[in-house]
Structure formats: structure tokens, C-alpha cells
Amino acid sequence: MRMTGRELPPPPPPAHLREWLDETVVRADRARFLADLSRRGLGLGRLALLWAVAAAFALGWAFVGLAVTSFEAADPVESLFGAVFAATAVGVLVPAGIWFVRGARRERREHELLCGWVEAGREPVVDPALRAPVRSLVWLGASLALGACGLWTAFAAAAGVRPGATAYGEVVGFVGLGMILWITGLLGAAKAATHLRWAARAGRPAPAAARRRPVLSDVAG
């Protein structure tokens, strides 16, 4: 079965149908689908996508800062620009939020399929590759660095406030940018740590009862 780049693998066959299927074909499908799902979840493309969503949020928040600065000037012309900046911020942040929610739902479905195919049987050759330690460490290291940069940006902006000299819009912009970077780094680090913990649990030998009669219809969460 060939899949496009956006098409997800099918769920594992139910237990009552497996006895009618060729075990060799089922194992080949399992190995291929697990490799595809693992690559989707921790691929560099997914990391770049997460950062792209964060960049969209950062861009939208920059317009929020510009809007606050414009309204702060208490000038009719500046207020008009502030309204334009505020509308632009909404036009950027809302699609970014929708993009983020859709991506989170797709990742949840991918994880359900990954767990389901793992429970379809244990393969001593295939299963250790699911841990993907190199990709997990890349995600973890990059996310921690991004989160640290975000915290430094937020605290530096807050510490550098000078009453009467620093515009509120500037503070809002830089503190918000720092928080966006920090939250993005936190999400990436949590995903890498969660995958490593899940892979260690999934790599344990299945109980004897499960090996005799694997339950394929159950999808672990």
C-alpha cells in the first residue's frame, strides 16, 4: 500500500481478521507503517513546522506591540495606524491558532496509530528503531536552546523597563516574543521526553498472554 506525504497509515486489522491474513504481509505492513509514523512524529520537518507556527505567532504578536505603541501616542493618525496593526495581528494570530490546533489533532491521531501498530506484535529488529535517540536528542537540545532564548528575552525586556522612557508597546512585544519562544521550546522538549519514555515502555517484551493472542483492535492512548 502506497501513501502520499499527507495520508496516514490505516489502523491495524482487528484480531478476528488477522487469522485470515498473511502473517508475512502483516509484519511487512507493520514495519513500514511504524517507520513512517516514527519519522513523521520526530522528523526535522515536524520540528521546522512547529517553529514556523511559532514564527507566525511571533509575527502576529509584533503587530500587537505596534498597535499598543500607536494607541499609546494618543494621536488620531497614530490611532488609525493602531487599528490597522490590531486588525493585522488578528489576521495573523487566528490562522496561526487554527494551524496549531489542526497540527495537534493530527499528531494525536498519528500517536494513536503508532501505539496501535506497536500492539499488533513485537518485532525484535524493528521495535528498537522506534526509540529514535538521535532525533529525540535533536528535538530536546534545539527546544531547550529555544526555550532558554525565550526566557532570556522576556526577563531582559522586563528588567530593562524604565518608567517614562520605555514604551509599553515595546515591553509587550518583547515579553510576548520571549514567552512564545519559551512555550515553543517547552512543547518541543516535552514531546521529545514523552517519546523517549513511551519508546522505552513500548520496547518491553509483551506478556505471554499478549504474545499468544495480540489484541489489534485496541489503540493505546
Side-chain angles (χ1 to χ4, degrees), residues 138-157:
V138 169
W139 267 76
L140 186 61
S143 298
L144 290 177
L146 185 67
C149 180
L151 283 179
W152 181 86
T153 301
F155 282 116

Side-chain angles (χ1 to χ4, degrees), residues 15 29 32-33 46 70 72 99-100 106 145 154 164-165 178 187 211 214:
D29 287 342
R32 186 170 69 256
F33 295 153
R46 185 59 59 84
S70 299
E72 187 182 1
W99 193 9
F100 177 80
R106 184 176 180 86
L187 289 174
R211 288 197 299 267

Side-chain angles (χ1 to χ4, degrees), residues 47 50-51 54 100 139-151 178-194:
L47 180 61
L50 175 63
W51 286 14
F100 177 80
W139 267 76
L140 186 61
S143 298
L144 290 177
L146 185 67
C149 180
L151 283 179
M179 294 303 297
I180 290 171
L181 296 179
W182 178 72
I183 293 173
T184 303
L186 186 64
L187 289 174
K191 180 175 180 178
T194 300

Side-chain angles (χ1 to χ4, degrees), residues 28-85:
D29 287 342
R30 179 181 183 274
R32 186 170 69 256
F33 295 153
L34 285 179
D36 178 70
L37 290 168
S38 178
R39 184 174 60 253
R40 289 172 186 264
L42 283 178
L44 294 180
R46 185 59 59 84
L47 180 61
L49 183 60
L50 175 63
W51 286 14
V53 175
F57 275 110
L59 177 61
W61 194 258
F63 282 110
V64 171
L66 291 174
V68 172
T69 301
S70 299
F71 289 131
E72 187 182 1
D75 180 84
V77 177
E78 291 293 336
S79 297
L80 179 60
F81 280 112
V84 173
F85 289 142

Side-chain angles (χ1 to χ4, degrees), residues 134-220:
V134 175
R135 282 179 291 168
S136 297
L137 289 177
V138 169
W139 267 76
L140 186 61
S143 298
L144 290 177
L146 185 67
C149 180
L151 283 179
W152 181 86
T153 301
F155 282 116
V161 174
R162 298 293 182 270
T166 305
Y168 288 111
E170 181 180 350
V171 177
V172 169
F174 280 104
V175 172
L177 173 62
M179 294 303 297
I180 290 171
L181 296 179
W182 178 72
I183 293 173
T184 303
L186 186 64
L187 289 174
K191 180 175 180 178
T194 300
H195 177 82
L196 287 173
R197 186 170 63 251
W198 171 84
R201 185 172 64 250
R204 295 172 185 169
R211 288 197 299 267
R212 289 195 302 268
R213 186 180 179 183
V215 180
L216 304 182
S217 57
D218 294 339
V219 178

